[in-house]
Amino acid sequence: MDKINLGATIPAYPMPVVLVGAHVNDKPNFLTVAWFCMASYKPPRIAIALGKNHYTNPGIKENKAFSVCLPSEDMVEVTDFCGIVSGKKTDKSKVFDLFYGELKTAPMIQDCPLTVECKLMEIVESGLNEIFIGEIIGTYTEERFLSDGKCDFEKMRPLILSHPDTTYWRLGEPFAKAWSVGKKHKARI
Amino acid sequence: MDKINLGATIPAYPMPVVLVGAHVNDKPNFLTVAWFCMASYKPPRIAIALGKNHYTNPGIKENKAFSVCLPSEDMVEVTDFCGIVSGKKTDKSKVFDLFYGELKTAPMIQDCPLTVECKLMEIVESGLNEIFIGEIIGTYTEERFLSDGKCDFEKMRPLILSHPDTTYWRLGEPFAKAWSVGKKHKARI
């Protein structure tokens, strides 16, 4: 089929959405982020790419700590709200019930099925963004989100965002096993 | 509810899966990757975090180019295959029908609904991983994957992977508009 070149642009793609927590001006604040990924397996590290002008950035730099909180689909309204409204204008410190782990400036959201607390290791500047790389100090969930001791995403119901069509999606059904289903292809060649 | 600390570990979370293409030893090679995200809005950049020992890494360094190809769910077997089998032992240059854009060492997969070609800008070492940050030179799709000129993920059917439960998932249904549904929360406070 003929390919169309959409140009030098951010490719739209559905990505899980997280709420990044930090203390800014000594108060908890949360920012909605879809640009994040794991950065290192050992030690476990996570990277988040934030626009340079966000209210959150100076707080992470000052305290060298942040959280990554993974909301469920029933939190779609409040998650989107934290992306619409800046901490510069609106105090978001009371939006969620919070808890803390080891780091006292990495606020985590009680209602999120999965949260991690991170110690800032490095900041990489890239264009209009700053990539914050944090070492994961703790990962928190609840018994009700596990099956056989493992995170169960049919229970967690993560929230997925695509952009620029600005759409939230549900996670669909599981349909194949990784590091396994590829053996069928291998057997054919 | 009581939180359980799973410890300093990579949080399992469903992430879209991509096939990263590069020329290694003058041949196209593809690696399955779930650790990627956008890195910069302007100029458009994408980051991929690869284990340091992958066969792909020296090829990206040599040619300063790579592709990020987004497979659809019907490509699950061949996508998983590229994650199971290393280019060190198996020639993956003939696995896919390929095309090229501007960069002659960023092989892209004809069957993938969305592909980007990237020029290597920076490598950030982090633990056992290397994060390759690439500037997006071109983004390719086909008319049949668009609706009103925009990428339509109900047509593209991206493939989503969770780990360590090693499960491939389908994308579910769209259910809310981003930068919009949060206004309902705002109206309540």
Side-chain angles (χ1 to χ4, degrees):
Chain A
M1 296 286 264
D2 283 345
K3 295 287 178 183
I4 304 165
N5 186 355
L6 302 175
T9 182
I10 291 296
Y13 207 66
M15 296 290 284
V17 170
V18 293
L19 289 154
V20 168
H23 277 208
V24 192
N25 296 328
D26 297 325
K27 275 186 174 175
N29 186 67
F30 292 90
L31 171 67
T32 310
V33 171
W35 291 10
F36 82 102
C37 71
M38 303 313 134
S40 161
Y41 188 72
K42 211 174 199 178
R45 288 183 186 156
I46 196 164
I48 54 171
L50 306 186
K52 279 184 185 171
N53 291 329
H54 279 301
Y55 179 71
T56 297
N57 303 26
I60 298 177
K61 290 173 190 173
E62 184 187 338
N63 297 298
K64 302 203 183 312
F66 62 93
S67 73
V68 177
C69 305
L70 311 165
S72 57
E73 60 182 44
D74 60 0
M75 294 172 69
V76 65
E77 290 182 14
V78 71
T79 300
D80 195 54
F81 167 78
C82 287
I84 288 175
V85 170
S86 170
K88 287 174 194 164
K89 292 193 175 167
T90 303
D91 178 358
K92 290 185 262 185
S93 66
K94 301 277 187 278
V95 172
F96 302 102
D97 288 331
L98 305 179
F99 72 102
Y100 290 81
E102 197 177 311
L103 305 173
K104 298 309 169 198
T105 51
M108 290 182 280
I109 298 169
Q110 194 74 35
D111 281 345
C112 284
L114 190 62
T115 63
V116 297
E117 52 170 342
C118 302
K119 191 174 151 191
L120 178 66
M121 301 305 289
E122 191 172 355
I123 302 171
V124 180
E125 286 206 24
S126 194
L128 295 181
N129 288 68
E130 290 176 317
I131 304 168
F132 294 85
I133 300 176
E135 191 150 319
I136 295 169
I137 302 299
T139 307
Y140 300 85
T141 187
E142 293 167 32
E143 196 61 47
R144 65 187 168 123
F145 297 119
L146 301 176
S147 293
D148 301 326
K150 284 185 186 172
C151 293
D152 183 334
F153 298 105
E154 291 189 290
K155 295 177 177 173
M156 290 193 176
R157 308 301 315 149
L159 189 54
I160 296 173
L161 171 68
S162 62
H163 183 244
D165 62 331
T166 64
T167 302
Y168 289 109
W169 305 74
R170 299 184 209 281
L171 183 67
E173 67 272 25
F175 75 106
K177 290 307 282 179
W179 288 273
S180 172
V181 71
K183 290 174 194 163
K184 291 186 195 172
H185 182 87
K186 196 175 173 183
R188 280 197 298 271
I189 59 168
Chain B
M1 296 286 264
D2 283 346
K3 294 288 177 182
I4 304 164
N5 186 354
L6 303 174
T9 181
I10 291 295
Y13 206 67
M15 297 288 285
V17 171
V18 293
L19 289 153
V20 168
H23 277 208
V24 192
N25 297 326
D26 298 323
K27 275 185 175 176
N29 186 67
F30 291 90
L31 171 67
T32 310
V33 171
W35 291 11
F36 81 102
C37 70
M38 303 311 134
S40 161
Y41 187 72
K42 213 172 197 178
R45 288 183 186 156
I46 196 164
I48 55 171
L50 306 185
K52 280 184 185 172
N53 292 329
H54 279 302
Y55 179 70
T56 295
N57 302 26
I60 297 178
K61 290 173 191 174
E62 185 187 338
N63 298 297
K64 303 203 183 313
F66 62 93
S67 73
V68 177
C69 305
L70 311 164
S72 57
E73 61 183 44
D74 61 0
M75 294 172 67
V76 64
E77 289 182 13
V78 71
T79 300
D80 196 54
F81 167 78
C82 288
I84 288 175
V85 170
S86 170
K88 286 173 196 165
K89 292 193 176 167
T90 303
D91 178 359
K92 291 186 260 184
S93 67
K94 302 278 187 276
V95 171
F96 302 102
D97 288 332
L98 305 179
F99 72 102
Y100 290 81
E102 197 176 311
L103 305 173
K104 299 308 167 198
T105 50
M108 291 181 280
I109 299 170
Q110 195 73 36
D111 281 346
C112 284
L114 191 63
T115 63
V116 297
E117 53 171 342
C118 302
K119 193 175 151 189
L120 178 66
M121 301 305 288
E122 190 172 356
I123 302 171
V124 180
E125 286 207 24
S126 194
L128 296 181
N129 287 68
E130 290 175 319
I131 303 168
F132 294 85
I133 299 177
E135 192 150 319
I136 295 169
I137 303 299
T139 307
Y140 300 85
T141 186
E142 293 167 33
E143 196 61 46
R144 64 186 169 125
F145 297 119
L146 301 176
S147 293
D148 301 326
K150 284 185 186 173
C151 294
D152 183 334
F153 299 104
E154 291 189 291
K155 295 177 177 172
M156 290 193 176
R157 309 302 315 148
L159 189 53
I160 295 173
L161 171 68
S162 61
H163 182 241
D165 62 332
T166 65
T167 302
Y168 289 110
W169 305 73
R170 299 184 210 282
L171 184 66
E173 67 272 26
F175 76 107
K177 290 307 283 179
W179 288 274
S180 171
V181 70
K183 290 174 193 164
K184 292 186 194 171
H185 182 87
K186 195 175 173 185
R188 282 198 298 270
I189 59 170

